[in-house]
Amino acid sequence: MSRIIAIANQKGGVGKTTTTINLSAALVELGKKVLIVDIDPQGNTTNGLGMDKSALDNTVYEVLIGECDVKDAIRRNVVGEVDIIPANVNLAGAEVEMITSMDGKNSSTALRDALNSIEKDYDFILIDCPPSLNILTVNAMTAAKTVLVPIQCEYYALEGLSQLIGTINLVRERLNPKLKIEGVVFTMFDARTNLSMEVVQSVKTNISEHIYQTIIPRSVRLAEAPSYGEPITVYDPKSTGAAAYRSLAKEVADRDDL
């Protein structure tokens, strides 16, 4: 069965989308079959893989409200062999629509129910969550086996982390008893500043969760890649950002304690 990983942090700008795109591409390089589920109404992962959000017919929105079979929403081999269930602005109204259109079904399990039929087709399913703790994030955590938390190496890095962990615990208690925290990955690390070092030490001191050894550097090339619709492993395969995500992918793939 596949490893379904929700990539989540209620704080925006921490590298969730960057991690989703580039970890997926690096896992494919390792020979893994990977599906991305973009469940953020901003659709940045969809856009970052070169897709025109406004031209999409079947998206995760149609899947969640039952208007489309999940297999019909998958766009295959969008970059290399990475598949994606895309998202666009329609997803912004999903919370209300899911509540009114579920016909008595639990709206928190819509994504899990949809992924059940395709889970066996993939080694990894990565879900890019919105920067908020809403019904979409709850759906992602209910469908996932683990939650990967990117934390940026900047001031207030721990802000909201305790609330995120609280939400994970709540989902575990009520909807998904097998849910675990995959781990924490540091992003936007700048070795030239004391602050980045201090953030890493602070997080390590304050949380007991697994922390990946790979640290993602702050990189202009990483920031540029989405505007070209490519993961860093394609846009600049020899860059430090590409090397970092390849290292993270190997760590993720090699874990056998989950």
Side-chain angles (χ1 to χ4, degrees):
M1 300 296 284
S2 64
R3 280 173 60 185
I4 305 178
I5 304 173
I7 299 178
N9 189 327
Q10 71 185 67
K11 196 171 184 298
V14 301
K16 289 189 300 295
T17 296
T18 298
T19 295
T20 302
I21 291 173
N22 294 307
L23 176 57
S24 296
L27 284 168
V28 163
E29 285 189 347
L30 293 176
K32 306 300 182 183
K33 183 64 176 172
V34 181
L35 171 70
I36 293 174
V37 181
D38 188 354
I39 202 168
D40 184 347
Q42 297 175 82
N44 289 335
T45 295
T46 300
N47 192 60
L49 286 172
M51 302 182 70
D52 181 0
K53 294 181 290 187
S54 64
L56 298 171
D57 294 324
N58 295 327
T59 69
V60 71
Y61 166 73
E62 283 75 22
V63 172
L64 290 174
I65 64 171
E67 290 187 356
C68 167
D69 185 83
V70 65
K71 293 179 181 179
D72 294 329
I74 296 174
R75 299 298 182 98
R76 302 187 187 277
N77 303 329
V78 287
V79 173
E81 295 181 9
V82 176
D83 293 352
I84 185 173
I85 299 176
N88 57 23
V89 70
N90 291 340
L91 190 57
E95 288 187 79
V96 173
E97 294 229 21
M98 286 169 69
I99 291 171
T100 59
S101 67
M102 293 302 291
D103 295 327
K105 298 179 182 178
N106 188 340
S107 60
S108 299
T109 66
L111 182 60
R112 182 177 69 188
D113 296 341
L115 293 180
N116 279 342
S117 64
I118 59 169
E119 181 179 354
K120 65 182 183 299
D121 298 334
Y122 295 94
D123 298 307
F124 288 89
I125 298 176
L126 303 188
I127 309 172
D128 185 22
C129 298
S132 57
L133 299 177
N134 57 20
I135 189 65
L136 297 174
T137 303
V138 170
N139 256 272
M141 290 184 184
T142 303
K145 293 181 172 70
T146 61
V147 181
L148 178 63
V149 185
I151 295 183
Q152 84 284 22
C153 294
E154 296 179 352
Y155 199 56
Y156 294 132
L158 288 168
E159 183 180 280
L161 183 59
S162 60
Q163 187 177 355
L164 175 64
I165 292 174
T167 300
I168 293 170
N169 290 335
L170 191 62
V171 171
R172 183 187 295 127
E173 290 171 10
R174 300 187 179 183
L175 295 163
N176 186 1
K178 295 182 179 180
L179 184 65
K180 298 180 180 179
I181 295 181
E182 172 85 22
V184 169
V185 59
F186 293 107
T187 63
M188 305 179 194
F189 181 83
D190 189 342
R192 300 169 299 177
T193 67
N194 289 331
L195 177 59
S196 285
M197 299 288 193
E198 291 169 0
V199 167
V200 169
Q201 291 306 315
S202 175
V203 172
K204 287 182 176 179
T205 300
N206 284 279
I207 70 169
S208 59
E209 311 300 340
H210 177 81
I211 296 176
Y212 281 102
Q213 293 183 8
T214 300
I215 295 178
I216 309 301
R218 183 177 291 280
S219 164
V220 172
R221 304 297 276 173
L222 272 175
E224 288 175 346
S227 65
Y228 290 86
E230 295 177 338
I232 190 63
T233 51
V234 175
Y235 179 67
D236 192 348
K238 296 183 179 180
S239 65
T240 56
Y245 275 107
R246 289 189 179 110
S247 175
L248 178 63
K250 190 172 188 312
E251 276 198 82
V252 170
D254 286 349
R255 286 201 71 182
D256 58 6
D257 57 338
L258 293 169

